[in-house]
Amino acid sequence: MSDMTIDQLQAENDSLTAELEKVKAKNAELLGKLKKAQQGSGESSERLEALEAENEGLKTELRKFTFDAPVNSIFESISGAGKIFRKAFEEHFDIIQDEEEGRFWIHEKDGSPTLKQVKVGKYGNDTQPRELSDGEIKDLILERELKELDYFIPKPVGSGAPGSNGRGHYYVKPEPESLRKEEKPQQFGIR
């Protein structure tokens, strides 16, 4: 450095100062872009949150039509208090929908499917999972002796009633006279 003159040092200093100013300008430009991106991401994150909330709302609405409505209709076909019956049933069991076929299955609270014995052939038995239906619900309540759920199931009246075991009395209500066919008196004698 001792070989350089003051003019050369001044020229090098001016060159370095100009280069430093270029770096500062580039730094300021990049900081500006970064702040813009951060502000834009703030707007983007708000928009993203709004879209996620809308998505959750649509999922809830879709569940009402694809899951809740069909399940509620099954419980309402069994009992007049269908929604209350479903709530009481779901304290003991879970209802799972098969995503591929859209069928509903009854599962235990631990996640395993509830199984039933099915006759196979003349002498064999097999176990199969229970699909959600009015018959399967009634059978499951009867098998597990769930008295708090049995309350919701209407009981058959008379031996001719559907679901009756045939041990009750059967009473036939007589037809009113107005509905009976007119009876012609039989004619006896020779023609």
Side-chain angles (χ1 to χ4, degrees), residues 132-174:
L132 185 69
S133 68
D134 57 351
E136 292 295 338
I137 292 171
K138 290 176 184 176
D139 290 346
L140 187 59
I141 291 171
L142 182 67
E143 286 174 16
R144 302 275 176 98
E145 297 177 357
L146 300 169
K147 298 291 182 195
E148 65 275 10
L149 296 177
D150 189 43
Y151 172 79
F152 291 101
I153 300 173
K155 307 300 179 262
V157 178
S159 63
S164 173
N165 60 9
R167 293 185 210 142
H169 297 288
Y170 183 67
Y171 173 71
V172 177
K173 188 175 180 180

Side-chain angles (χ1 to χ4, degrees), residues 4-179:
M4 292 176 101
T5 65
I6 294 182
D7 290 333
Q8 290 174 340
L9 286 173
Q10 188 66 33
E12 189 175 330
N13 187 25
D14 290 341
S15 157
L16 290 173
T17 303
E19 201 172 311
L20 178 63
E21 290 301 319
K22 286 180 186 178
V23 169
K24 283 183 181 179
K26 186 69 173 175
N27 187 26
E29 178 188 339
L30 292 174
L31 280 174
K33 286 182 180 180
L34 179 62
K35 286 181 182 178
K36 258 189 183 178
Q38 288 175 343
Q39 288 174 352
S41 70
E43 293 171 6
S44 297
S45 66
E46 290 173 5
R47 179 73 178 138
L48 181 63
E49 288 174 8
L51 288 173
E52 286 175 351
E54 183 180 355
N55 186 26
E56 289 302 315
L58 291 173
K59 283 181 182 178
T60 303
E61 193 71 23
L62 181 64
R63 180 180 166 86
K64 284 181 187 177
F65 292 108
T66 60
F67 186 82
D68 291 332
V71 171
N72 285 341
S73 69
I74 291 172
F75 282 95
E76 288 169 358
S77 72
I78 297 171
S79 173
K83 290 182 181 177
I84 299 169
F85 180 33
R86 176 183 173 188
K87 185 177 179 182
F89 185 82
E90 287 181 329
E91 289 177 5
H92 298 276
F93 305 100
D94 288 329
I95 300 169
I96 307 296
Q97 184 176 18
D98 181 5
E99 292 181 15
E100 293 175 12
E101 297 178 19
R103 294 166 43 183
F104 300 99
W105 302 95
I106 303 171
H107 282 224
E108 302 290 341
K109 279 297 189 182
D110 65 1
S112 63
T114 58
L115 300 174
K116 63 179 178 178
Q117 291 288 329
V118 178
K119 247 186 183 169
V120 177
K122 220 175 191 182
Y123 304 107
N125 287 332
D126 190 20
T127 56
Q128 292 180 350
R130 290 184 189 267
E131 188 171 358
L132 185 69
S133 68
D134 57 351
E136 292 295 338
I137 292 171
K138 290 176 184 176
D139 290 346
L140 187 59
I141 291 171
L142 182 67
E143 286 174 16
R144 302 275 176 98
E145 297 177 357
L146 300 169
K147 298 291 182 195
E148 65 275 10
L149 296 177
D150 189 43
Y151 172 79
F152 291 101
I153 300 173
K155 307 300 179 262
V157 178
S159 63
S164 173
N165 60 9
R167 293 185 210 142
H169 297 288
Y170 183 67
Y171 173 71
V172 177
K173 188 175 180 180
E175 290 182 0
E177 298 249 354
S178 63
L179 295 179

